[in-house]
Amino acid sequence: MHQFGSALSGVGGEKRPGIVHRIDKDTSGLLVVAKSDAAHHGLAAQFEAHTVDRVYQALCFGVPDAADPRLRGVRGVSFEPGGVVKITTQLARHKTDRQRQAVLFQGGRHAVTRVQVAERFGDHAAQITCRLETGRTHQIRVHLAHVGHGLIGDQTYGGRRKLSAKAMGAAAEAAAAFPRQALHAGRLGFVHPVTEEALEFEMPMPGDMVTLRDALRDAGRRSE
């Protein structure tokens, strides 16, 4: 708004000028903002058709390894080549807590997340890549919690889970003190709605997640 003033798309109204999609509060990373109504409608159509490439980086408890036999017993989980864990459920607002989303298998809205381990820190935590097929509210966070690998720092879905101080040392303290869900929207790809040029944008993980990742990496090496 500071840069473009009234030149942004008016589709979202005065409170959300140009905003085509959202990321969760305290999630870092990329957003696309439309300067014209035509661009806004064209981008929104791509999000609706699930053709936008949306890739997130996250730090989670445990290791969502496709070879883990426990995952094969979790409803909604399937597997794809390359060690990809595919999570397919319905999502809807929680019946008693309207600030949360809940996993359903009837009703709600269709949601698909693909998860792949980028780096494991012993058996205690992992850096994961999450690709959204759909983009529902809190989707990655609730899906990872559903399969038993909630995000570090997630006060809504992470529960009271903690890393072992004995095994992970100072990294356990760093994880416990992390002030937000460790989730970053790192890549966004779409077709320009006017020129039809394929565009892709990337943003590296922010410093707080890098610091935590490095602490987990060091602790994971010591625990092996």
Side-chain angles (χ1 to χ4, degrees):
M1 292 173 69
H2 173 77
Q3 182 73 25
F4 297 106
S6 61
L8 293 170
S9 161
V11 174
E14 292 184 1
K15 293 184 178 180
R16 297 181 63 208
I19 302 300
V20 180
H21 66 115
R22 296 180 292 176
I23 55 178
D24 294 346
K25 182 179 182 293
D26 295 330
T27 294
S28 57
L30 294 164
L31 284 174
V32 59
V33 180
K35 289 177 64 179
S36 71
D37 289 358
H40 197 136
H41 287 300
L43 289 165
Q46 292 181 56
F47 278 94
E48 183 67 23
H50 310 310
T51 58
V52 177
D53 186 29
R54 302 173 69 180
V55 182
Y56 288 69
Q57 296 294 323
L59 301 170
C60 70
F61 290 104
V63 183
D65 190 336
D68 183 356
R70 183 192 63 82
L71 285 178
R72 300 184 181 275
V74 178
R75 188 174 181 185
V77 171
S78 59
F79 304 93
E80 295 181 341
V84 174
V85 177
K86 181 181 178 182
I87 308 167
T88 306
T89 74
Q90 307 295 110
L91 294 181
R93 286 196 182 277
H94 195 281
K95 289 183 179 180
T96 58
D97 185 349
R98 304 301 289 175
Q99 301 302 312
R100 292 166 55 94
Q101 295 290 309
V103 166
L104 304 174
F105 291 95
Q106 290 184 338
R109 304 183 72 188
H110 182 63
V112 180
T113 307
R114 288 177 171 83
V115 177
Q116 193 170 23
V117 175
E119 183 176 359
R120 59 189 302 155
F121 312 116
D123 294 325
H124 305 280
Q127 178 180 336
I128 54 175
T129 300
C130 304
R131 177 172 275 105
L132 293 180
E133 181 173 315
T134 57
R136 310 305 183 196
T137 301
H138 299 177
Q139 178 176 316
I140 291 173
R141 298 162 61 192
V142 70
H143 268 175
L144 267 295
H146 171 66
V147 300
H149 294 285
L151 301 189
I152 292 173
D154 192 338
Q155 299 300 312
T156 303
Y157 299 101
R160 299 180 179 179
R161 188 168 179 178
K162 296 182 179 180
L163 295 175
S164 166
K166 181 178 180 180
M168 300 297 280
E173 296 181 11
F178 201 70
R180 65 180 183 93
Q181 62 269 9
L183 183 62
H184 174 70
R187 188 162 82 233
L188 190 62
F190 53 89
V191 175
H192 192 291
V194 177
T195 67
E196 298 186 352
E197 179 186 1
L199 302 174
E200 184 173 278
F201 301 89
E202 293 194 25
M203 183 178 183
M205 282 200 308
D208 61 346
M209 282 183 65
V210 170
T211 299
L212 178 58
R213 189 268 319 273
D214 290 349
L216 292 169
R217 178 182 287 160
D218 290 343
R221 287 171 178 168
R222 290 195 300 270
S223 69
E224 291 177 350

